[in-house]
Amino acid sequence: MAASPAILNFFDPEAIWPPLHYGDSVALIPDGVNGLAAFSGAKDGRPWVEELREGASLPPNLRDCHFRLLPRGQFTEVKNLTKMLREGLWDGGRNLPVPEAPKSGTDLDQAAQEYAKKHGLADERGLIKELLTRVQLAKEEQEGTLSERARLQGLAIHYLDTVELQHVTTGKTLNLTKQQAHERAAKKVMFDDTGSETSVFVMRPAFKAYAAGEQVGSGDLVVFQTLKRVGGLAYSLHMGTDHGQDVSTVLKRGLQVQNPVVVNVHEINATTGDQRPTAWRVVMFEPYQHNPL
């Protein structure tokens, strides 16, 4: 039997480990790799697996390697708002700043008229009113998501439950994109400020030893699969083998770390089809009680 990676020196697979809960902060360790997922907050939003030298058990950038397990959010109104902003008709294509969400009870007709007058958009008052409505609805939806997450915090997570992965340090959420990853036939995943429908992952057991409905324990091997299908296919979070860049460049620009403890990097992307997805050992770093939502 192969030796366990040094990063798991503390982990006894025969012990009974506590169940994971919504709100817990965890480390994501690819099965069989002496390394873990990390994100530095880099502009491109791309997460990486940083592989540690043999015998090393602690990354030099530990604060970058923690992710919070969140209940899924709602994205219907945000999606509608994003679509309207992308079309760019409301401001005549001038890329004006999006108005703040109106307070409850605001006369939207008057608010739209004032905004139109300020920016010389007399012909777009109807669209501005629609935009204000969508901004207001998106804010209410976001507030509802935050309230629901606070309510569900501490609830045990079971297999086939859904989660979002939030980077603890930056507050950004992991999201599947339509862009191609560095690795061929894989999609890019990235952290952004809001998340979307493709930020929702189903926690599936990596092996048949566990079944749907059983609690997910700290240290279990899990496959993260998107709930929403993209092009009719479900994608799974994966540690790639080809990142198309020099390792030193990724360490400097992508992970912003230069330390001899980190000896290699792997792109985290999303795959589907015949390629077996990565099994991630989800290890609790901090329980939800220590850092409540």
Side-chain angles (χ1 to χ4, degrees):
M1 182 180 294
S4 176
I7 201 168
L8 290 175
N9 283 345
F10 70 93
F11 181 73
D12 179 2
E14 301 301 323
I16 298 177
W17 289 84
L20 294 174
H21 303 82
Y22 286 121
D24 286 344
S25 171
V26 299
L28 302 177
I29 302 172
D31 187 27
V33 177
N34 192 41
L36 71 175
F39 173 62
S40 69
K43 187 176 180 180
D44 71 350
R46 195 187 304 269
W48 301 88
V49 168
E50 54 182 45
E51 189 173 347
L52 310 183
R53 70 186 180 198
E54 185 177 356
S57 59
L58 191 67
N61 55 340
L62 187 61
R63 64 187 295 273
D64 292 338
C65 305
H66 301 147
F67 306 89
R68 185 179 282 117
L69 301 171
L70 294 180
R72 62 181 293 190
Q74 298 298 319
F75 301 103
T76 301
E77 299 302 336
V78 171
K79 182 178 179 181
N80 291 338
L81 174 61
T82 301
K83 180 181 178 182
M84 187 173 184
L85 292 174
R86 189 183 300 119
E87 290 171 347
L89 300 178
W90 70 276
D91 64 350
R94 291 166 54 186
N95 294 318
L96 293 174
V98 179
E100 294 183 359
K103 295 180 180 179
S104 179
T106 297
D107 185 330
L108 295 183
D109 285 303
Q110 182 178 348
Q113 184 176 357
E114 291 174 353
Y115 190 93
K117 182 178 179 180
K118 179 180 179 180
H119 295 283
L121 297 170
D123 295 336
E124 282 81 27
R125 276 184 296 179
L127 288 174
I128 293 172
K129 179 182 177 181
E130 181 182 349
L131 176 71
L132 290 170
T133 301
R134 294 194 182 281
V135 170
Q136 190 174 53
L137 290 173
K139 182 181 179 182
E140 292 173 356
E141 182 179 69
Q142 184 180 38
E143 291 173 345
T145 289
L146 293 176
S147 176
E148 182 69 359
R149 283 176 173 172
R151 187 183 72 83
L152 295 177
Q153 179 177 246
L155 189 69
I157 300 174
H158 301 80
Y159 283 109
L160 300 193
D161 281 348
T162 55
V163 298
E164 292 181 40
L165 294 171
Q166 182 189 65
H167 187 242
V168 173
T169 304
T170 63
K172 294 180 181 290
T173 302
L174 189 65
N175 185 41
L176 171 67
T177 76
K178 295 181 179 180
Q179 303 170 41
Q180 182 175 321
H182 287 307
E183 190 169 34
R184 187 178 179 182
K187 296 291 187 186
K188 177 183 177 181
V189 297
M190 62 179 291
F191 282 94
D192 62 26
D193 292 327
T194 59
S196 70
E197 292 175 320
T198 55
S199 298
V200 182
F201 293 90
V202 179
M203 294 187 72
R204 295 186 176 277
F207 303 104
K208 294 182 179 180
Y210 297 97
E214 291 189 60
Q215 287 189 347
V216 182
S218 176
D220 283 2
L221 284 168
V222 171
V223 171
F224 291 94
Q225 187 180 72
T226 55
L227 176 66
K228 179 179 175 60
R229 292 180 174 267
V230 178
L233 300 172
Y235 283 79
S236 297
L237 206 59
H238 182 67
M239 185 187 80
T241 56
D242 177 22
H243 51 71
Q245 301 178 63
D246 181 75
V247 171
S248 62
T249 300
V250 176
L251 290 175
K252 183 178 180 180
R253 298 180 181 176
L255 284 170
Q256 300 174 19
V257 60
Q258 291 178 288
N259 190 296
V261 169
V262 183
V263 296
N264 201 0
V265 291
H266 306 270
E267 178 190 37
I268 297 177
N269 54 43
T271 60
T272 188
D274 296 331
Q275 187 168 1
R276 182 180 177 183
T278 299
W280 301 87
R281 197 173 293 280
V282 185
V283 179
M284 185 188 297
F285 171 75
E286 187 175 52
Y288 68 91
Q289 297 97 326
H290 291 184
N291 188 16
L293 296 171

